[in-house]
Amino acid sequence: MTAISPHEGPTSVGTSVEITGFGFLGGDCNRVGSVSFGSSPASFTINSDTGITAIAPAHEAGTVHITLTDFFEDCFSEPTPADEYTYIDDTPPGCTITGTAGDDSLTGTNGDDTICGLGDNDTINGDKP
């Protein structure tokens, strides 16, 4: 692995990350069999011997190394600064939600009379089980 792009994304799942390098279809090691962000496995597609697209899994905020492992799990990429991916906290600032299971009430605020990202005219609907 020689580079990744982008180098950062939200803590929620779904950021598409392009991984470049060589030997992804084989070479010194066997074909890439898994991609991990820290210890979290990621879904991925090998586009060519020099390119992989991976979907960053959800993870807490912080920096992790992306690791490539072959199918036999006996060959893996060594951590380098080029494979560092930083998760950025994407929770709205000051967001709090309170409620009790089985209760009909749910309250939330982020300091401006909205419920954690919802606007003044948005609603939350839910049914008790």
Side-chain angles (χ1 to χ4, degrees), residues 3-86:
I4 64 168
S5 182
H7 287 275
E8 63 184 29
T11 55
S12 55
V13 69
T15 301
S16 179
V17 178
E18 298 299 320
I19 301 170
T20 56
F22 55 90
F24 297 152
L25 295 173
D28 290 340
C29 295
N30 292 297
R31 180 185 179 106
V32 171
S34 67
V35 175
S36 297
F37 285 63
S39 61
S40 302
S43 60
F44 69 98
T45 302
I46 300 174
N47 303 316
S48 69
D49 195 50
T50 60
I52 292 175
T53 301
I55 304 301
H59 196 279
E60 63 188 26
T63 300
V64 299
H65 286 278
I66 297 175
T67 305
L68 308 178
T69 306
D70 75 346
F71 273 110
F72 298 109
E73 297 184 356
D74 61 358
C75 194
F76 55 89
S77 59
E78 294 291 335
T80 69
D83 66 31
E84 289 181 345
Y85 183 82
T86 301

